[in-house]
Amino acid sequence: MTDALIIGGGIAGAVTAMALQKAGIDAEVFEAYATGADDVGAFLVVFTNGLEALRVIGAHGPVVANSFPAGRVEFVSGTGKRLGARTLAGAADATAMGPRTLTRATLYRVLHDEARRRGIPVRHGKRLVAAETVGDRRVVASFSDGSRAEGDLLIGADGIHSVVRKLIDPAAPRPHYTGQNTVCGYTRDVEPPSAPDTYTMIYGRRAFFGCTTAPDGEVWWFANAPGPERSRRDLAAVTADQWRQRVAALLDGDRTPAAAVVRATGEHIVASHAYDLAVTPRWYSDTMVIIGDAAHAAAPNAAQGASMAIEDAIVLAKCLRDQHEPRRAFHTYEELRRARVERAVAHSARMARRSAPGTMRRLVRDVLLPRSIEHGGDGADAWLTGYRIEW
Ligand SMILES: Cc1cc2nc3c(=O)[nH]c(=O)nc-3n(C[C@H](O)[C@H](O)[C@H](O)COP(=O)(O)OP(=O)(O)OC[C@H]3O[C@@H](n4cnc5c(N)ncnc54)[C@H](O)[C@@H]3O)c2cc1C
């Protein structure tokens, strides 16, 4: 029987392990962090395509149970003008498979719990530093604690700064920093600007802002704040108070509730860099393959990175189920996935450009966005959210 080493216990890693189990392939997950990525404080939306992919392995239930629905999105200009509203694709789904909001840490936790419940070993504190193919196509992974593991194949689900991507192709492109910090916060000390299940998206003069309200009344918000790329340490050194002041200052002057929401937020503010990775020329070697953000990463605007990672995981497992030779399975996986994920990354980059500040952009947007919503607008996203995988 084939055995797989999965590097990275994030979204793609946990889902791949469960999908491989369904395909009859043993897998072990190796995660760099000691306790899981509980410190990842951002929230995200899993769309219908991601949930439907999870349904293939029967893992959608815990995600739905630990999240709340995202049904509508309304768009507001920094002047306070309402630009329109639309129902999110799949939101009307009576089977609760419409888009769901949850924190990234919760998504990690429920997927890990589910993987563990199915008997899949998840090893923490295992940071991959090297891997090589030995003998007759076996792969040996080396970790920073000096330990090693051997398998028939190695799956790099190690995120945007993937080591496996570099091992497969030392000339692989670096992720592109979009120039934006995504700052997220949570507060109960403000009148919610959005109804539960609605996202309010505000095209501020100097920063894009979005928020929704959890069922318990807590307001969850994010803002895209332009800023330089910092080292991980320098980013972590910026305090909640500094982020609060910086983001509120960017939103001051807009005639919207955004600045007040930010000012009403206490210590619960986190920030990360927004990257994208449009094209990675090589996805696989004889024994190694990359998936999720390791292979392709979209700026957060289209909110599809997690769903794409989940889809990748299911499709890869299906290819490995059907083709015994890993390289052939990797080839088919790439053929099935590349065009779709690259289109998603490009789509998200377009959304990022549309939300960027700028007077001309604002004038055009204030005229065109209401018309586009009226004519079905981003309903053209059916190619994204309508995707289904036949197991
Ligand atoms: C602010 C923000 C908001 C977002 N919002 C959304 C959204 O609304 N909807 C959406 O779908 N997506 C969203 N995304 C994107 C989404 O979070 C990613 O696309 C998704 O997490 C990718 O999953 P992954 O498993 O490929 O990578 P990750 O979730 O990053 O997991 C990678 C894992 O690998 C581990 N790892 C890294 N290096 C090593 C190593 N050398 N050895 C061992 N383990 C390693 C990491 O610790 C991590 O646990 C957002 C991203 C950001 C930053």
Side-chain angles (χ1 to χ4, degrees):
M1 188 197 265
T2 307
D3 57 320
L5 312 176
I6 298 175
I7 307 303
I11 297 160
V15 177
T16 306
M18 291 187 271
L20 287 177
Q21 186 183 57
K22 185 175 167 83
I25 296 170
D26 280 345
E28 212 171 329
V29 179
F30 298 89
E31 165 56 43
Y33 282 95
T35 56
D38 298 334
D39 58 331
V40 184
F43 58 95
L44 48 74
V45 178
V46 180
F47 277 88
T48 306
N49 51 311
L51 286 171
E52 287 290 349
L54 284 173
R55 196 211 287 266
V56 170
I57 53 165
H60 57 296
V63 175
V64 170
N66 287 279
S67 58
F68 58 89
R72 270 167 52 83
V73 58
E74 58 185 24
F75 302 96
V76 179
S77 167
T79 58
K81 181 181 168 195
R82 197 170 176 279
L83 301 173
R86 68 181 175 87
T87 301
L88 286 171
D93 190 321
T95 59
M97 293 299 275
R100 310 287 302 186
T101 300
L102 73 173
T103 66
R104 203 154 89 155
T106 302
L107 183 56
Y108 276 37
R109 179 177 54 75
V110 297
L111 292 175
H112 270 232
D113 287 353
E114 188 59 22
R116 269 209 201 83
R117 197 182 65 75
R118 298 176 185 205
I120 293 163
V122 181
R123 318 258 179 243
H124 284 282
K126 296 287 176 191
R127 180 171 293 279
L128 181 89
V129 288
E132 57 176 340
T133 303
V134 294
D136 188 17
R137 303 235 168 117
R138 293 278 288 172
V139 60
V140 176
S142 305
F143 301 97
S144 58
D145 63 359
S147 62
R148 286 150 77 91
E150 190 176 324
D152 290 315
L153 55 105
L154 181 148
I155 297 167
D158 51 344
I160 186 80
H161 301 294
S162 170
V163 169
V164 181
R165 180 169 64 228
K166 279 260 183 279
L167 291 172
I168 290 173
D169 179 7
R174 279 196 76 232
H176 157 249
Y177 175 50
T178 61
Q180 303 284 336
N181 294 294
T182 307
V183 186
C184 289
Y186 304 83
T187 180
R188 292 174 198 281
D189 296 329
V190 73
E191 186 63 32
S194 322
D197 104 338
T198 297
Y199 271 83
T200 301
M201 300 297 199
I202 298 175
Y203 294 96
R205 277 171 226 254
R206 288 187 293 160
F208 184 72
F209 175 91
C211 66
T212 190
T213 308
D216 64 0
E218 188 172 54
V219 175
W220 295 19
W221 62 264
F222 70 88
N224 295 341
E229 186 177 13
R230 299 173 166 93
S231 69
R232 183 187 277 261
R233 217 171 80 196
D234 288 351
L235 189 68
V238 183
T239 64
D241 185 45
Q242 287 168 326
W243 282 121
R244 187 187 314 110
Q245 289 185 27
R246 161 131 182 75
V247 175
L250 285 168
L251 298 167
D252 274 339
D254 287 342
R255 273 178 266 151
T256 76
V261 171
V262 174
R263 287 216 163 80
T265 308
E267 287 304 298
H268 209 163
I269 301 182
V270 290
S272 55
H273 292 121
Y275 292 98
D276 69 7
L277 181 59
V279 180
T280 303
R282 288 189 61 199
W283 282 16
Y284 64 88
S285 66
D286 284 345
T287 52
M288 293 189 252
V289 65
I290 43 177
I291 65 169
D293 275 13
H296 50 80
N301 301 66
Q304 273 286 341
S307 296
M308 289 289 150
I310 294 166
E311 288 179 10
D312 277 359
I314 306 293
V315 173
L316 175 62
K318 188 178 157 178
C319 294
L320 285 163
R321 176 198 70 184
D322 294 342
Q323 280 163 321
H324 185 67
E325 219 264 293
R327 199 181 171 96
R328 290 187 57 182
F330 298 161
H331 178 76
T332 309
Y333 151 74
E334 181 179 344
E335 277 193 337
L336 291 171
R337 296 297 299 160
R338 184 180 279 280
R340 173 168 171 78
V341 297
E342 288 180 358
R343 187 175 174 193
V345 174
H347 173 70
S348 205
R350 264 195 310 279
M351 288 179 76
R353 282 195 295 278
R354 197 166 71 189
S355 67
T359 308
M360 267 318 283
R361 219 177 248 128
R362 175 163 51 86
L363 292 173
V364 172
R365 188 174 52 227
D366 285 7
V367 173
L368 293 187
L369 190 62
R371 283 193 207 153
S372 143
I373 293 168
E374 199 180 313
H375 293 101
D378 294 344
D381 292 358
W383 66 271
L384 256 182
T385 57
Y387 183 81
R388 300 290 179 268
I389 302 162
E390 290 296 325
W391 181 259

